[in-house]
Amino acid sequence: MTESNFSVDLATELKAIVGSQHTLTDDDKKQPYCQGFRLGSGKAYAVVRPASLVEIWKVLQACVKADVIVIMQAANTGLTGGSTPNGTEYDRPIVIISTMRIDDIHLIDQGKQIIGFAGSTLFGLEDTLKPYGREPHSVIGSSCIGASIVGGICNNSGGALVQRGPAYTELSLFAQVTDEGELQLVNNLGIELGSDPEEILSNLENKTYQETDVQFPDKRASDNEYHERIRDVDAETPSRFNADKRRLYESSGCAGKLAVFAVRIDTFPIPEKHRVFYIGTNDPAVMEQMRRDMLSTFTNLPVSGEYLHSSSYDISKKYGKDSYLVIDKLGTKYIPKMFAMKRTVDRWAGKFKFLPNKFSDRIMQYLSQLWPNHLPKRMEDFREQYEHHWIVETANDGVDEAQAYLSEFFKHNEGDYFECTEREADQAILHRFVTGGALTRYHVMNGKDLGSIMTIDVAFPRNEQDWFEVLPPEIDDKIAVKMYYGHFFCHVMHQNYIMKKGVDGKAVKQQILSSYDARGAEYPAEHNVGHEYIAKQSLRDFYKQNDPTNSFNPGIGGTSKLKYWQDASGEHSGCGCNHKD
């Protein structure tokens, strides 16, 4: 189907709904929305930026009527290209709905739960909850700068906080296209909002509902069993991964196969006492022993445990420095402005052929080097001594428990630790936080001499002892740069590579993944399949159940890009539907 086949002028209809200014049809204006944060790109017929939930609904109605593909997009900070078009082979034009203008957050029960709208962010939620002494499920420390609340739910993201697990809820408001091709709104928020779709959305957005309309059904608004699961250090399966059927439910894990308007999730009390311990060792077995001890014997689970290999420390120090400084000096509120500014600069720079690609990244990298060293001396001293770094956060009674354990442990084991000051704790956590984007910047600055980026997001079994990767020479010789970091308590590791020039990164990745299969590992662990991984059968079945016509985000996880899940031969790929062609 081509644009000229439309029975109505879809662009005109979209402009009537959201306005001409927020209906993008020029290629250069669409480009930032069609290009993934790290990978994935394609073409879209239009990008629309609605300002309300009702406008999203009307846009969806127009798109379903015109029989086009819809990709719902929030912050577009995903690392596997899962919220943008990817290549070609689509059988219908694509409309991207950017939700970032719709960032409202409603509090329920004095902030014990919240409703996050489609474009609301974790940064915004942190600020909203602070006056109530509470914090989000996920806090700074993830791999994605500026991540959205709904995006986290749709991708089962997070899990860095070991007491809380991956982002999850059974309470959400979403639209889906039925097997018959009809758009329907499903209100499972647990709030009485009316019966008509526009009435429901308007009542939610305008907060015209009363406290008595808010129900508390027997449904989870977080993974409230995870703290028990992660303590089982002898289990032969990973603690969390994207294809885990126990945490696939409607919006949770849907990967864009539903159009999610809002989600209702739990929040958590800010600890009265908080302490960070910085640990260094040269022996992976020492770290594994500490992990097993803390999870299985501690009365109070630590809050988080972020791992950083020395190579990641160095790359993050140099190539994540500008992001670190922006957040440290200006605060997280400035991050959306920074990304908007970068998009504008790159769009204008693209008009001049003599300017290099990713012009904004190059400018920011050069400017960051004018700033003196931003990391504290004790961290720098540990970098000189140790290969493996572990940032362990503790809270309340767990502070004294960890202090006593570490003091005794390092009397008899290799390595050392120090108790961070409040400032050192902020610096250590922020240094780890900017690591995810540092590899991309490294590649921007040095890519002409290197091959492609290749990333792996893997969850090792809870009983895995040999967690640190040692590649065979035939694979290691093909890799120019390696970065290892992750969430060590749950054995979720981010293993990122830059290939040597001319090396087939996909082939190398398949060799590594095959070795993980033999060890009982699962991948992806938390970044979701996007367009980088092949979805396992549990995910494929879940996607088809949510989206029988394959109208939302087709092609995800290597699935069909065609209507009704057809394969290249025109056969339906087991979507379980009763339609006729």
Side-chain angles (χ1 to χ4, degrees):
M1 179 177 180
T2 64
E3 295 173 18
S4 60
N5 295 135
F6 286 137
S7 59
V8 295
D9 186 348
L10 181 59
T12 300
E13 191 168 357
L14 295 175
K15 289 176 183 177
I17 297 169
V18 305
S20 298
Q21 180 183 355
H22 298 293
T23 304
L24 311 180
T25 55
D26 293 339
D27 286 342
D28 62 333
K29 292 181 179 180
K30 291 186 293 183
Q31 194 273 338
Y33 302 89
C34 296
Q35 178 76 43
F37 181 73
R38 181 179 284 170
L39 61 84
S41 65
K43 293 185 179 297
Y45 168 75
V47 175
V48 293
R49 303 177 64 246
S52 70
L53 299 180
V54 172
E55 285 189 3
I56 293 181
W57 175 255
K58 290 180 177 179
V59 168
L60 290 172
Q61 286 180 311
C63 290
V64 171
K65 182 176 68 174
D67 193 25
V68 300
I69 288 167
V70 172
I71 296 179
M72 299 290 290
Q73 183 183 100
N76 194 18
T77 57
L79 301 179
T80 58
S83 58
T84 62
N86 187 64
T88 56
E89 298 91 36
Y90 296 97
D91 60 346
R92 295 150 287 169
I94 297 170
V95 172
I96 297 173
I97 301 178
S98 172
T99 63
M100 294 306 289
R101 296 175 69 204
I102 311 168
D103 59 358
D104 287 355
I105 295 170
H106 291 179
L107 301 179
I108 295 176
D109 193 15
Q110 294 298 303
K112 292 179 183 177
Q113 288 186 332
I114 66 98
I115 297 172
F117 284 30
S120 57
T121 66
L122 290 174
F123 288 152
L125 182 54
E126 282 189 75
D127 290 341
T128 301
L129 290 174
K130 277 180 184 176
Y132 295 85
R134 301 187 73 84
E135 63 185 10
H137 160 273
S138 298
V139 295
I140 191 167
S142 72
S143 301
C144 303
I145 295 176
S148 71
I149 296 170
V150 168
I153 292 293
C154 292
N155 292 305
N156 286 139
S157 301
L161 303 186
V162 298
Q163 301 168 20
R164 303 178 192 174
Y168 179 75
T169 188
E170 295 168 0
L171 301 166
S172 63
L173 174 65
F174 58 88
Q176 64 183 154
V177 178
T178 67
D179 182 25
E180 292 75 26
E182 296 180 359
L183 183 69
Q184 65 177 16
L185 186 71
V186 179
N187 178 17
N188 284 339
L189 273 179
I191 302 175
E192 179 55 50
L193 295 166
S195 55
D196 175 75
E198 290 192 23
E199 177 190 15
I200 290 170
L201 297 170
S202 180
N203 284 338
L204 176 62
E205 193 148 38
N206 296 322
K207 207 173 183 180
T208 55
Y209 56 91
Q210 307 297 316
E211 281 190 27
T212 53
D213 294 321
V214 180
Q215 304 151 1
F216 292 87
D218 186 21
K219 290 187 175 183
R220 293 184 176 91
S222 62
D223 187 351
N224 57 5
E225 299 172 336
Y226 187 75
H227 64 285
E228 299 172 356
R229 183 177 176 85
I230 199 171
R231 281 188 179 276
D232 187 359
V233 295
D234 293 316
E236 296 180 349
T237 56
S239 57
R240 60 186 176 95
F241 53 98
N242 286 128
D244 186 356
K245 289 188 286 187
R246 62 185 282 276
R247 286 298 175 257
L248 297 176
Y249 186 93
E250 294 180 347
S251 295
S252 294
C254 74
K257 301 303 290 180
L258 299 171
V260 182
F261 291 85
V263 295
R264 178 174 166 182
I265 57 175
D266 290 332
T267 69
F268 302 86
I270 296 174
E272 295 179 6
K273 185 178 180 181
H274 180 265
R275 199 67 47 81
V276 171
F277 298 93
Y278 198 97
I279 299 168
T281 180
N282 289 309
D283 187 352
V286 168
M287 277 191 60
E288 182 58 32
Q289 185 59 54
M290 284 190 287
R291 171 188 169 273
R292 294 179 65 86
D293 289 346
M294 291 182 188
L295 291 178
S296 62
T297 69
F298 275 27
T299 301
N300 306 279
L301 276 176
V303 174
S304 69
E306 293 299 287
Y307 169 70
L308 201 63
H309 185 260
S310 56
S311 62
S312 295
Y313 184 109
D314 294 343
I315 291 174
S316 182
K317 177 182 175 181
K318 182 174 181 178
Y319 295 98
K321 188 176 182 180
D322 60 306
S323 295
Y324 176 106
L325 292 173
V326 167
I327 297 172
D328 188 46
K329 304 303 178 185
L330 301 177
T332 56
K333 287 182 179 179
Y334 195 78
I335 291 296
K337 296 179 182 178
M338 184 181 77
F339 276 110
M341 179 183 69
K342 279 171 50 63
R343 285 195 297 266
T344 300
V345 169
D346 287 337
R347 183 161 59 87
W348 281 102
K351 298 177 183 292
F352 302 95
K353 293 183 178 180
F354 63 89
L355 291 177
N357 188 34
K358 300 285 186 180
F359 183 67
S360 66
D361 283 280
R362 297 173 187 275
I363 292 296
M364 293 177 72
Q365 182 63 33
Y366 289 129
L367 290 176
S368 71
Q369 300 312 303
L370 301 177
W371 198 272
N373 185 9
H374 55 293
L375 299 180
K377 185 178 186 305
R378 289 202 288 180
M379 275 178 59
E380 293 285 74
D381 290 343
F382 264 48
R383 167 60 190 95
E384 294 302 314
Q385 297 177 64
Y386 301 114
E387 181 179 5
H388 304 286
H389 298 241
W390 197 18
I391 306 163
V392 176
E393 293 187 75
T394 60
N396 298 332
D397 292 342
V399 172
D400 294 336
E401 188 173 20
Q403 171 68 66
Y405 170 82
L406 292 171
S407 177
E408 184 64 26
F409 182 85
F410 282 111
K411 290 179 182 178
H412 312 287
N413 292 278
E414 184 271 338
D416 201 356
Y417 80 100
F418 65 84
E419 188 174 321
C420 294
T421 65
E422 187 174 339
R423 175 60 178 160
E424 286 173 331
D426 290 342
Q427 291 173 296
I429 293 168
L430 185 50
H431 181 55
R432 160 65 184 90
F433 176 64
V434 300
T435 303
L439 184 72
T440 303
R441 174 65 60 77
Y442 182 104
H443 194 260
V444 167
M445 302 304 296
N446 304 284
K448 63 182 178 62
D449 300 317
L450 299 167
S452 61
I453 291 176
M454 188 267 282
T455 65
I456 295 178
D457 166 35
V458 60
F460 291 113
R462 284 165 279 177
N463 66 349
E464 177 66 74
Q465 298 281 339
D466 298 324
W467 59 272
F468 184 68
E469 180 175 76
V470 179
L471 293 170
E474 62 270 20
I475 294 179
D476 199 51
D477 289 345
K478 298 176 181 178
I479 299 171
V481 179
K482 289 181 283 190
M483 281 184 73
Y484 299 134
Y485 57 97
H487 316 299
F488 189 62
F489 277 121
C490 50
H491 266 176
V492 168
M493 304 300 297
H494 303 310
Q495 313 207 139
N496 299 343
Y497 317 84
I498 301 179
M499 299 295 105
K500 291 180 179 178
K501 207 171 186 65
V503 171
D504 183 353
K506 291 183 179 180
V508 173
K509 183 171 187 172
Q510 192 52 54
Q511 288 179 280
I512 296 175
L513 292 181
S514 295
S515 71
Y516 293 161
D517 291 337
R519 297 165 62 183
E522 293 280 355
Y523 50 85
E526 63 179 4
H527 292 164
N528 220 326
V529 290
H531 292 288
E532 188 171 13
Y533 296 90
I534 300 299
K536 295 193 173 180
Q537 194 60 48
S538 58
L539 279 178
R540 288 172 177 255
D541 293 344
F542 181 60
Y543 295 159
K544 291 175 182 178
Q545 174 187 335
N546 278 337
D547 184 19
T549 65
N550 206 18
S551 297
F552 292 117
N553 208 13
I556 203 80
T559 58
S560 170
K561 293 181 178 179
L562 308 181
K563 192 172 183 179
Y564 286 118
W565 302 88
Q566 294 181 83
D567 59 26
S569 67
E571 295 293 326
H572 300 300
S573 56
C575 61
C577 47
N578 300 313
H579 57 271
K580 297 180 180 179
D581 292 334

